Amino acid sequence: MKVRVDEAGLVLDRPDDQVLDVLFDGRRVWSFRGTKVAERANGAWRVAWPRDLRGFLRGAALVTVRGSEGTVLTETEVRFGDHDGRVSVVDGEGRPLVVDPGGRLVTTFDASDPEHLVPLVDAIELVLRKLIDLGLDAFPAYGTLLGAVRDGRLIGHDNDADVAYLSRHTHPVDVIRESFRVQRLLHRDGFEISRYSGGAFKVTVRGSDGTPRGLDVFSGFLYRGRLVLMGEIFAPFEESWLRPLGTVELEGRRLPAPAEPERLLATMYGPSWRVPDPTFKFETPHEVGHRLDLWFRGTRTYRNGWDRRYSTSRHRGPNRTPHELARMLHRAEAPETTVVDVGCGRGQDAVWLARRGHRVFGLDFSGNGYAHLRDRAREEGWSVELADLNLLELRHTLAWGARLARVDGPRALLVRHLLNATTPRGRAHLWRLARMTLGDGGRLYAEFLVRPPGRRREYKDPLVWELDPDLVESEAVSAGATVVSSQVVEVEGIERPTETEDGSSPYSCRMVMEWGTP
Amino acid sequence: MGHAMTDSQPTSRATGRGPLRALRRVTDPRGLADRVARLEAEVDELQQLNLRLAELTDVVQELLLPIARQDPDRAVELLERYREELGT
């Protein structure tokens, strides 16, 4: 195959299925298969630079394209734009980044000093030991098992680690409850944990260079002759292929392993699992994904989008001007009112209200958004608590509802562009939280996008959308509230949660509802 | 919260209208396709209860004991710990 490289991407004369590695100044930054990504344009097969990589393409680079046998297909000096210097694909701390099979830039293991990975390997060993101590048959899984069985190492082009355990339970409800228990016990051992679903969570481990690395912990169980293993597997399987456990070596450590790891790897990666493939992406059959979704998921919807949006927010403060809805609340409520800003985003309204004398809770499921102001609030002693609340998890909703119900004095809820940014489950849980918090009296101030009469609006931001005020009102009334005012306004400047495709102003509904004294 | 609050909606197959429905009347006089689609939607809805039931049971199990022992201080303490251990 012949390959040409230019500023826009690569041109292939006849794409085939081999894995092509792209190196900038001798370092791999991306791998792909021509048949998967090349597109026919003007009589040529073109492969555009991945979207996340484009932002880094400034300056010159010696671009090498290597075929599967290591043969160099081209080596070309390319200049991107009229910038001086060399192209540098690194993160804010100077760590080299690589495009992963999902198109995202990650810090792969082979780009890290092996010394920096020691804390991750320590954590794999420790978490496995904790799980085994709990009576669970635990082992490295997915890429971590693959690397261990292939050559006893972490896979160079991987960037996180996976472990799994085989539960003795056979019903999803019991498996989920066990996963909750395991999470609590690991939390008590000091691990930082974020839950993906009812059957999986991530432990964050800091490398010795500070790089955060994910160690995913997946539940597995046997169900009617099949192995169910979060997050991808639902396949015929024998219990004896997993237990009693054997052992495998990883980075010089002896770790527990499935009785026949080859069987599990073939189920995970297909018959060619022994051949390394940096472009591998799970293509879970629809029925499997659907079943796992129904059983376990729905607690993280839109979360990755918000996390990505706020990924660099910790380092810069938000615009501190409050939104009109916060001003409305402040004008109408007594100064001693405790305010709960649900879906507080960057936290500027929560802080503004706190600085005007309210006790405030600012809650959101994407912690990076408010991290900057939380640090400031701690330094300054502001009366605001910025904390995690994932409204999609009933446990979060009930635990926060119980806590807020114990707060003395009057309370009010501020809910700005949350109802129109979450799922029906998220809305149901918001109403439950409101009822628990305001059930003995108090007001909720909501704002959400609405469609102007007779006009369609296309929004640039896929994370917010329009809601029908009648739907919101009927849900609020079902939750025991009375709507006391509702007003539709054209919003400008910082009041806009998103731009519209045609540049016109979005419309918001500001609705105040009240729970009476029982 | 009623039907509007569930995550799943009946599939379009269950509510199909027009020529498709007319064709079905001839090829599927007992309406089996529609019934299967409706059943699928209902099974989906039931399967979603697993997570909710597990969440509820977890809360109840962790917090019921101090309430049964009529120890309100311990209940508040456990509630705080429960919330702190939820992760993100």
Side-chain angles (χ1 to χ4, degrees), chain A residues 204-283:
Chain A
T204 301
V205 182
R206 306 268 157 200
S208 47
D209 60 343
T211 310
R213 296 280 184 192
L215 168 55
D216 295 342
V217 180
F218 296 106
S219 306
F221 63 109
L222 294 164
Y223 179 81
R224 299 181 186 174
R226 286 165 181 266
L227 171 68
V228 184
L229 186 66
M230 294 303 286
E232 312 286 347
I233 309 294
F234 188 88
F237 216 81
E238 300 285 335
E239 186 170 2
S240 62
W241 297 348
L242 283 171
R243 58 182 161 221
L245 294 178
T247 60
V248 71
E249 191 149 315
L250 180 75
E251 303 289 344
R253 324 274 178 108
R254 173 89 19 213
L255 301 176
E260 297 182 41
E262 298 80 6
R263 301 262 195 190
L264 188 57
L265 290 169
T267 303
M268 288 167 167
Y269 298 102
S272 61
W273 62 269
R274 283 184 195 277
V275 184
D277 179 3
T279 71
F280 181 84
K281 220 161 103 177
F282 277 101
E283 284 166 10

Side-chain angles (χ1 to χ4, degrees), chain A residues 435-456:
Chain A
R435 198 171 193 160
M436 290 178 82
T437 310
L438 306 174
D440 51 0
R443 277 179 287 272
L444 183 152
Y445 295 75
E447 179 166 345
F448 48 92
L449 285 175
V450 289
R451 176 179 296 191
R455 277 183 285 173
R456 285 183 68 83

